[in-house]
């Protein structure tokens, strides 16, 4: 059996931002998947707001993710058959939230896409797609935002603008941020950096 992560342990405080950094193949994205409850570890626990995710079945974990977590991915993960507004409305509709259209419209306006509501992903630039993804992540007002190399598919200038917007939204929402990045400049903007080498956390846990 291949062991990818070894004896990983850390705690994130409310509103804290932390960057997971390390070489390619060190286990960064695997760790993020486990934190989200998307991947199941062979041992250990992940607690979100006091709830052990792996004491729940998959449907229960999905319900917790829908209520508590926002996601931003390198590849945007937008649904191509939905326009920008529909993509942002979707998580609200899955939660049965009232006023989904109004809330999604406001969030897209906040990220500068108020005139792109009816545009489909294929007609948007990479930076615009990532801003839709940010709007979708924050519209549910998550307790925790998980971001996996959010600028990895963008050019430098566009990536800088997207990251500035992400940190702004994070401060406004008071969200806890856990970010995977290979970019030391982005990592330095976080409150803390968690360094992983060969599946082991080399940064001492903060007090």
């Amino acid at each position: 059996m291949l062991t990818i992560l070894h004896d990983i342990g850390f705690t994130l405080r409310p509103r804290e931002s932390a960057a997971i950094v390390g070489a390619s193949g060190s286990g960064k994205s695997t760790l993020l998947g486990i934190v989200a409850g998307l991947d199941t570890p062979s041992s250990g626990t992940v607690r979100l707001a006091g709830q052990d995710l792996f004491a729940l079945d998959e449907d229960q974990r999905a319900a917790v993710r829908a209520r508590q977590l926002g996601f931003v991915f390198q590849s945007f993960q937008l649904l191509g058959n939905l326009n920008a507004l529909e993509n942002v409305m979707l998580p609200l509709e899955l939660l049965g939230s009232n006023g989904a259209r109004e809330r999604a419209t406001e969030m897209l306006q906040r990220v500068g896409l108020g005139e792109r509501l009816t545009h489909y992903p294929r007609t948007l630039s990479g930076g615009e797609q990532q801003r839709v993804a940010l709007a979708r992540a924050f519209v549910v007002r998550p307790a925790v935002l998980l971001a996996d190399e959010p600028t990895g598919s963008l050019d430098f200038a566009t990536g800088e603008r997207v990251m500035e917007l992400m940190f702004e939204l994070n401060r406004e929402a008071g969200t806890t941020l856990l970010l995977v990045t290979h970019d030391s400049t982005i990592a330095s903007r976080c409150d803390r950096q968690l360094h992983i080498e060969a599946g082991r956390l080399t940064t001492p846990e903060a007090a």
Side-chain angles (χ1 to χ4, degrees), residues 113-127:
L113 294 175
E115 297 182 356
R116 294 275 203 254
L117 302 182
T118 60
H119 286 62
Y120 287 85
R122 66 180 178 276
T123 68
L124 300 173
S125 69

Side-chain angles (χ1 to χ4, degrees), residues 28-39 65-66 69-79 87 90-91 125-138 144-154 158-159 162-163 166 177-182 186:
K28 302 187 300 298
S29 293
T30 298
L31 176 57
L32 203 69
I34 290 173
V35 169
L38 294 168
D39 299 323
R65 282 195 294 271
L69 299 179
F71 297 90
V72 180
F73 301 95
Q74 176 177 335
S75 55
F76 318 134
Q77 299 289 337
L78 301 178
L79 297 179
N87 265 285
L90 183 60
S125 69
E128 288 171 334
Q129 289 186 64
Q130 196 60 298
R131 282 189 278 156
V132 174
L134 284 174
R136 181 183 59 188
F138 280 103
V144 180
L145 178 70
L146 304 177
D148 192 359
E149 298 282 9
T151 63
S153 297
L154 305 176
T158 303
V162 165
M163 288 308 302
M166 190 179 82
L177 171 64
L178 185 60
L179 166 72
V180 166
T181 184
H182 66 277
I186 292 173

Side-chain angles (χ1 to χ4, degrees), residues 37 53 56-67:
L53 289 183
L56 307 175
D57 62 30
E58 177 50 42
D59 288 343
Q60 291 170 323
R61 287 200 297 275
V64 170
R65 282 195 294 271
R67 293 192 305 270

Side-chain angles (χ1 to χ4, degrees), residues 81-173:
N81 62 325
L82 301 182
N83 63 32
L85 180 60
E86 292 165 342
N87 265 285
V88 178
M89 287 173 59
L90 183 60
L92 294 170
E93 292 176 329
L94 292 174
L95 286 172
S97 301
N98 294 325
R101 179 173 293 273
E102 292 77 14
R103 286 172 60 183
T105 299
E106 289 173 5
M107 199 69 230
L108 283 165
Q109 290 171 339
R110 173 63 186 82
V111 301
L113 294 175
E115 297 182 356
R116 294 275 203 254
L117 302 182
T118 60
H119 286 62
Y120 287 85
R122 66 180 178 276
T123 68
L124 300 173
S125 69
E128 288 171 334
Q129 289 186 64
Q130 196 60 298
R131 282 189 278 156
V132 174
L134 284 174
R136 181 183 59 188
F138 280 103
V139 77
V140 297
R141 299 166 186 160
V144 180
L145 178 70
L146 304 177
D148 192 359
E149 298 282 9
T151 63
S153 297
L154 305 176
D155 63 74
F156 177 79
T158 303
E160 285 281 294
R161 290 193 295 271
V162 165
M163 288 308 302
E164 186 63 39
L165 179 59
M166 190 179 82
F167 280 110
E168 283 181 16
L169 292 170
N170 202 63
R171 285 192 298 269
E172 291 171 9

